[in-house]
Amino acid sequence: MENTIDVIVANEQHLGYVEIILDTIEKAAKIRGTGIARRSPEYVRQKMLEGKAVIALDGDKFAGFAYIESWSNKKFVANSGLIVVDTYRGQGLAKRIKRRVFELSRTKFPDAKIFGLTTGLAVMKINSELGYRPVTFSELTDDEAFWKGCQSCVNYDILQRTNRRMCLCTGMLFDPHIQHEGAVEESK
């Protein structure tokens, strides 16, 4: 089934998928009981129109999604919103989406540090394969707008109580200026 799924940069042709993307993210957050920051339909549409989102489609059926956002005057790029529809899980699709959104980040922002926050072991493993390393939050962007996005997370109180030093998420960072031995370099 994996070979029938296209993982592509989203554009205006994919705007009709916005609601199912947001519904899928919200359902996954409830099931996991962990935080996934909520985004508005306008926000996701804008990511698609800017060429800063990746969508996975099985024909015309939605299978997965992720997007990128730059912070701190383009010094940092976050890979966020990774979601795979449950019927497509366990087939390597999350890894394909992460690789594609990582490649998109490197293309659009070649000198930026790429980061993500996650509570998922599978995502941590994928990130590690791409050359990310776990870091303290102090090594991530200090852009207040990024951290404001965490307000919709169920664990935001932890982040606040610790003065943004820690939370249940693990911060992971890829620095393009560091040699990444063992990192998997793969294009499509």
Side-chain angles (χ1 to χ4, degrees), residues 22 56 115-116:
L22 292 171
F115 73 99

Side-chain angles (χ1 to χ4, degrees), residues 135-138 158-167:
V135 296
T136 62
F137 285 8
S138 66
I158 299 168
L159 192 64
Q160 274 189 307
R161 283 195 322 262
T162 64
N163 292 318
R164 223 172 45 210
R165 287 190 311 265
M166 62 185 78
C167 196

